[in-house]
């Protein structure tokens, strides 16, 4: 059975002290709240070690938002998968559209990062999604399929099975424009079909596919109710505990 996951992506927000306060607040809330999903927070690199030490990482997973495309060495300013892992983080968000658009991360670079993360025992949360012009041209299916194929389809079925995918239409990120529940279901089902064609029904069925892009406490329930939407990658609504808990509550407790 695939997992439901709600993952926060703090992006470049919060000082270390502010981040620790939010992580601790979430940790305390989750200790006394029944949930029907795994919960993860993606913090800036410098927060990882302190946050991972301050929370129960079996209840509140910790993610980096990026990693280097090399194992170690003379790469000034970079952070390796081994360093991320050594903080106690278990996940790494890779291929976010902001990394692709602002930092030139190509499918080839992302392929390397995914492989390094998996080799280190980190779970990649791999982001895909089309820009507005591509959606308007009806090219969203081909765009996400290419992104998946170029970065992920050299993986073994066993390794692919360790990944989490996040479909994030770029036009919905931080814009307040959410994909409708129908649009999300349509493309998530398509993505699962692409995985099925390559790796078979079992791998496809077990793959967690998150939706991201202006997902919040108000629309989470409707989005998560879709059979192929297994949770969310949450930016703005992950920066306050009450907002994030509201998204988590989008998964009813059975
Ligand atoms: P948003 O960001 O929820 O603020 O739209 C989502 C993301 O970029 O992961």
């Amino acid at each position: 059975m695939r997992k439901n996951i709600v993952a926060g992506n703090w992006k470049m927000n919060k000082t270390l002290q502010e981040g620790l306060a939010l992580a601790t607040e979430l940790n305390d809330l989750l200790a006394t709240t029944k949930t029907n999903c795994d919960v993860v927070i993606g913090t800036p690199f410098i927060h990882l070690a302190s946050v991972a030490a301050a929370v129960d990482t079996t209840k509140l997973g910790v993610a980096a938002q990026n990693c280097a495309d090399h194992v170690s060495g003379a790469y000034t300013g970079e952070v390796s998968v081994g360093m991320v892992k050594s903080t106690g983080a278990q996940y790494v968000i890779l291929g976010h559209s902001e990394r692709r658009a602002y930092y030139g991360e190509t499918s080839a670079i992302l392929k390397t990062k995914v492989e390094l993360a998996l080799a280190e025992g980190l779970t990649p949360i791999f982001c895909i999604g089309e820009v507005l012009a591509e959606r308007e041209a009806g090219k969203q299916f081909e765009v996400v399929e290419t992104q998946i194929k170029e970065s992920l389809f050299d993986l073994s079925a066993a390794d692919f099975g360790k990944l989490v995918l996040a479909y994030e239409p770029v036009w919905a990120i931080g814009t307040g424009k959410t994909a409708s529940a129908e649009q999300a279901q349509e493309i998530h089902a398509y993505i699962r079909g692409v995985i099925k064609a390559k790796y078979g029904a079992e791998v496809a069925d077990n793959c967690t596919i998150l939706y991201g892009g202006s997902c919040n406490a108000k629309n989470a329930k409707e989005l998560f109710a879709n059979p192929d939407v297994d949770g969310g990658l949450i930016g703005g609504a992950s920066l306050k505990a009450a907002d994030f808990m509201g998204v988590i509550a989008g998964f009813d407790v059975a």
Side-chain angles (χ1 to χ4, degrees):
M1 264 291 281
R2 59 185 182 251
K3 282 184 185 170
N4 295 329
I5 301 176
V6 171
N9 174 11
W10 292 0
K11 309 193 180 184
M12 196 175 73
N13 292 293
K14 300 201 178 287
T15 64
L16 176 58
Q17 291 74 22
E18 290 164 351
L20 257 178
L22 174 56
T24 308
E25 194 182 353
L26 287 169
N27 187 62
D28 294 349
L29 287 166
L30 288 168
T32 56
T33 310
K34 275 203 173 149
T35 61
N36 194 13
C37 60
D38 288 2
V39 183
V40 176
I41 46 177
T43 81
F45 283 130
I46 63 141
H47 300 49
L48 291 174
S50 311
V51 165
V55 305
D56 175 355
T57 53
T58 64
K59 290 220 172 81
L60 180 56
V62 179
Q65 300 171 17
N66 181 28
C67 67
D69 56 348
H70 296 276
V71 171
S72 65
Y75 302 100
T76 301
E78 289 294 296
V79 176
S80 72
V81 286
M83 293 172 192
V84 169
K85 180 79 190 234
S86 73
T87 66
Q90 310 106 307
Y91 298 82
V92 56
I93 298 168
L94 290 173
H96 191 280
S97 64
E98 288 150 19
R99 302 285 328 163
R100 292 178 191 261
Y102 308 150
Y103 300 97
E105 296 201 0
T106 61
S107 286
I109 291 171
L110 292 170
K111 177 178 187 313
T112 302
K113 291 187 177 191
V114 166
E115 289 166 2
L116 289 173
L118 286 167
E120 194 62 44
L122 291 168
T123 300
I125 300 175
F126 188 78
C127 305
I128 54 177
E130 80 286 356
V131 300
L132 184 60
E134 290 163 340
R135 164 73 58 169
E136 285 173 350
K139 290 199 171 136
Q140 65 271 25
F141 301 107
E142 134 193 6
V143 169
V144 296
E145 183 164 359
T146 302
Q147 288 170 333
I148 292 171
K149 282 188 174 160
E150 287 181 349
S151 295
L152 305 179
F153 272 7
D154 282 344
L155 295 174
S156 66
D159 272 347
F160 190 93
K162 296 173 189 159
L163 287 170
V164 172
L165 286 183
Y167 167 68
E168 299 204 300
V170 179
W171 47 271
I173 295 177
T175 58
K177 258 192 228 165
T178 318
S180 68
E182 294 73 27
Q183 284 173 322
Q185 170 56 26
E186 180 187 39
I187 196 153
H188 279 232
Y190 183 83
I191 291 164
R192 205 176 297 286
V194 169
I195 299 166
K196 185 176 172 190
K198 167 77 178 174
Y199 291 109
E202 196 182 333
V203 171
D205 280 346
N206 288 333
C207 184
T208 295
I209 308 176
L210 310 180
Y211 167 79
S214 298
C215 182
N216 57 39
K218 288 205 179 81
N219 57 33
K221 193 177 170 117
E222 196 190 352
L223 286 160
F224 299 170
N226 289 287
D228 289 298
V229 179
D230 309 311
L233 182 56
I234 316 300
S238 72
L239 296 174
K240 284 194 190 136
D243 294 348
F244 195 50
M245 293 303 290
V247 177
I248 292 164
F251 281 115
D252 285 327
V253 177

